[in-house]
């Protein structure tokens, strides 16, 4: 209540008791107090409007992290609303139908199963990397690349050599060339993972041949492979007494892998199965031949197809040589390279 309202109430209550001078003086006084009340109300309204404007500016102005105060208050309101929803008693969800609750439980089971499956798959891939890499997986990729490069370059000077004779690819079809390019890729990948790698040389390999184009098309980074590529024939590139041509038609079983020898694999994918092609080529140049000791450590297994073959791809032969060079164990090496589809199993497994 303002001062003027109080005086008016007092005047009305005590009007008859006032003197004539007070009756004359009071109206003028009321006019002055009324003007004072207007000024006070105007200043109060101005002060209140200024405070509101300052408060709005404070809300709209961004803070230290670039978020306005009004947005913070909005987040607080949303958080409070979410908290109130979570704080509701369990009985408040009773309005949902049984069908809705059943679907919700079914969906939660599906999500939990997917999370569990992803976790198991991640652990399986991690275990597989540790098992197949042969190196410590905690190192960086740059360190691993440098380590692989160092091992391969060391094998070039002190390790065993493996030549892939590619001089017989002139009469191969495009499909056979594609299969051979894939075998070269797998062979090189296995050699990179080996703790004691071979130094690989592709002989009789011209850069304008269809096989070279197929290798570039199928094998990423083929031009940067750490191996030797030459157009020369393997028989003119190395001394003949150091060469051993590996062919399944040889009469002599390979007994050991010697670092002083150069082992030759015939780069031939022949779907027509022409026999003794590599053996005849080795005999023409008076080069020693050898076969993998499959007959000495493995036996034929009975199957519905009754199929038995000692002809392996070049990457399978290399896996056997590489495993034996590291383990000095022929049964373990043959088990890795000779699959059951070839019709051979280890003698111990039959017993």
């Amino acid at each position: 209540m303002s001062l003027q309202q109080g005086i008016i109430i007092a005047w009305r209550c005590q009007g008859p008791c006032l003197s004539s001078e007070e009756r004359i003086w009071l109206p003028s006084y009321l006019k002055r107090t009324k003007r004072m009340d207007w000024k006070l109300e105007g200043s109060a309204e101005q002060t209140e409007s200024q405070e509101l404007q300052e408060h709005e500016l404070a809300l709209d102005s961004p803070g230290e992290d670039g978020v306005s105060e009004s947005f913070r208050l909005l987040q607080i309101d949303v958080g409070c609303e979410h908290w109130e929803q979570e704080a509701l008693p369990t009985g408040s969800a009773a309005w949902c139908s049984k069908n809705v609750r059943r679907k919700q439980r079914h969906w939660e089971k599906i999500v939990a199963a997917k999370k569990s499956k992803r976790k198991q798959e991640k652990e399986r891939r991690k275990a597989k990397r540790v098992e197949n890499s042969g190196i410590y997986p905690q190192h960086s990729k740059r360190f691993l690349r440098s380590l692989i490069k160092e091992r391969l370059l060391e094998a070039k000077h002190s390790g065993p050599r493996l030549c892939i004779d590619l001089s017989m690819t002139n009469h191969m079809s495009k499909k056979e060339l594609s299969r051979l390019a894939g075998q070269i890729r797998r062979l090189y990948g296995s050699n990179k993972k080996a703790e004691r790698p071979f130094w690989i040389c592709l002989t009789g390999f011209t850069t304008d041949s269809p096989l070279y184009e197929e290798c570039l098309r199928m094998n990423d980074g083929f031009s940067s492979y750490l191996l030797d590529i030459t157009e020369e024939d393997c028989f003119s590139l190395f001394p003949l007494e150091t060469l051993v041509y590996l062919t399944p038609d040889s009469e002599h079983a390979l007994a050991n892998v010697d670092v002083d020898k150069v082992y030759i694999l015939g780069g031939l994918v022949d779907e027509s199965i022409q026999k003794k092609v590599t053996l005849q080529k080795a005999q023409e140049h008076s080069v020693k031949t050898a076969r993998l000791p499959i007959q000495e450590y493995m036996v034929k297994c009975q199957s519905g197809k009754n199929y038995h073959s000692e002809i392996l791809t070049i990457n399978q032969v290399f896996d056997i040589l590489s495993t034996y060079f590291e383990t000095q164990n022929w049964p373990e090496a043959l088990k890795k390279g000779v699959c059951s589809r070839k019709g051979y199993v280890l003698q111990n497994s039959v017993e």
Side-chain angles (χ1 to χ4, degrees):
M1 184 175 59
S2 63
L3 178 60
Q4 183 183 3
Q5 293 174 350
I7 296 173
I8 292 173
I9 293 172
W11 182 33
R12 290 178 179 177
C13 295
Q14 300 179 3
C17 302
L18 296 176
S19 61
S20 59
E21 295 178 358
E22 291 174 348
R23 290 177 181 273
I24 296 172
W25 167 79
L26 189 58
S28 61
Y29 178 74
L30 290 175
K31 290 181 180 180
R32 289 196 302 270
T33 55
K34 187 175 183 179
R35 287 195 299 270
M36 292 174 64
D37 288 341
W38 287 345
K39 291 181 181 180
L40 290 174
E41 289 177 0
S43 62
E45 290 178 356
Q46 185 177 3
T47 304
E48 185 177 357
S49 63
Q50 290 178 358
E51 290 178 355
L52 288 173
Q53 290 177 359
E54 292 177 358
H55 184 63
E56 290 176 355
L57 290 174
L59 289 177
D60 294 335
S61 60
E64 295 179 355
D65 54 351
V67 181
S68 64
E69 189 66 23
S70 59
F71 186 74
R72 293 181 185 275
L73 294 177
L74 180 59
Q75 286 182 325
I76 293 173
D77 293 341
V78 173
C80 292
E81 183 179 353
H82 180 66
W83 178 83
E84 289 175 359
Q85 291 178 357
E86 291 182 349
L88 289 175
T90 56
S92 61
W95 61 271
C96 295
S97 64
K98 292 183 179 180
N99 191 25
V100 172
R101 291 197 297 272
R102 180 180 59 80
K103 290 182 179 180
Q104 185 177 3
R105 289 194 298 268
H106 179 66
W107 176 250
E108 291 175 354
K109 289 181 181 179
I110 292 176
V111 173
K114 287 184 178 180
K115 288 182 179 180
S116 178
K117 186 177 180 180
R118 284 196 296 266
K119 184 177 180 180
Q120 293 177 0
E121 183 67 18
K122 185 177 180 180
E123 293 177 355
R124 187 187 65 80
R125 289 196 300 266
K126 184 178 179 181
K128 187 176 181 180
R129 286 196 301 267
V130 173
E131 179 182 357
N132 297 334
S133 62
I135 46 182
Y136 297 103
Q138 64 269 20
H139 295 303
S140 63
K141 292 184 179 180
R142 180 179 297 180
F143 176 80
L144 296 180
R145 285 195 296 267
S146 63
L147 182 61
I148 292 172
K149 183 178 180 180
E150 182 181 352
R151 287 178 177 176
L152 292 176
L153 293 178
E154 184 180 355
K156 183 177 182 179
H157 301 287
S158 60
R161 295 177 179 269
L162 182 72
C163 283
I164 310 297
D165 184 10
L166 301 175
S167 61
M168 300 175 287
T169 60
N170 297 329
H171 302 289
M172 292 171 58
S173 64
K174 183 175 178 59
K175 180 181 178 181
E176 293 170 344
L177 292 176
S178 299
R179 291 177 58 187
L180 181 58
Q183 293 175 16
I184 293 173
R185 180 185 68 249
R186 288 188 288 270
L187 187 150
Y188 182 74
S190 299
N191 193 45
K192 286 172 59 178
K193 297 177 182 178
E195 293 184 2
R196 301 177 66 185
F198 285 61
W199 181 251
I200 300 172
C201 184
L202 305 180
T203 61
F205 194 29
T206 58
T207 56
D208 58 348
S209 62
L211 178 60
Y212 188 83
E213 296 178 358
E214 198 68 18
C215 288
L216 290 176
R217 185 183 68 86
M218 294 187 60
N219 307 338
D220 294 335
F222 176 76
S223 58
S224 61
Y225 277 7
L226 288 176
L227 45 77
D228 286 335
I229 296 177
T230 178
E231 298 181 0
E232 297 185 37
D233 195 271
C234 58
F235 303 106
S236 59
L237 192 62
F238 302 99
L240 296 180
E241 61 273 11
T242 62
L243 298 179
V244 178
Y245 211 115
L246 298 178
T247 171
D249 301 315
S250 176
E251 298 179 356
H252 308 285
L254 184 64
N256 194 13
V257 176
D258 190 355
V259 294
D260 297 327
K261 298 292 185 179
V262 180
Y263 297 93
I264 305 173
L265 294 179
L268 178 63
V269 177
D270 184 16
E271 294 185 350
S272 62
I273 313 298
Q274 299 181 13
K275 296 183 178 180
K276 299 183 178 181
V277 175
T278 54
L279 178 63
Q280 293 174 359
K281 189 172 184 179
Q283 291 175 348
E284 290 175 1
H285 294 84
S286 301
V287 172
K288 293 180 181 180
T289 62
R291 58 174 173 81
L292 296 175
I294 297 177
Q295 301 175 7
E296 285 71 17
Y297 293 95
M298 307 186 79
V299 295
K300 296 180 180 180
C301 62
Q302 299 296 330
S303 61
K305 295 182 179 180
N306 196 23
Y307 172 77
H308 305 89
S309 175
E310 298 182 26
I311 300 176
L312 306 176
T313 61
I314 59 174
N315 59 291
Q316 290 174 338
V317 176
F318 175 77
D319 289 341
I320 295 173
L321 293 177
S322 178
T323 304
Y324 176 78
F325 187 59
E326 293 180 3
T327 63
Q328 299 295 313
N329 188 329
W330 277 117
E332 183 178 350
L334 292 171
K335 182 180 179 181
K336 185 173 182 180
V338 181
C339 58
S340 59
R341 294 191 300 272
K342 294 295 181 179
Y344 285 91
V345 293
L346 291 175
Q347 295 178 358
N348 296 335
S349 61
V350 174
E351 295 175 359

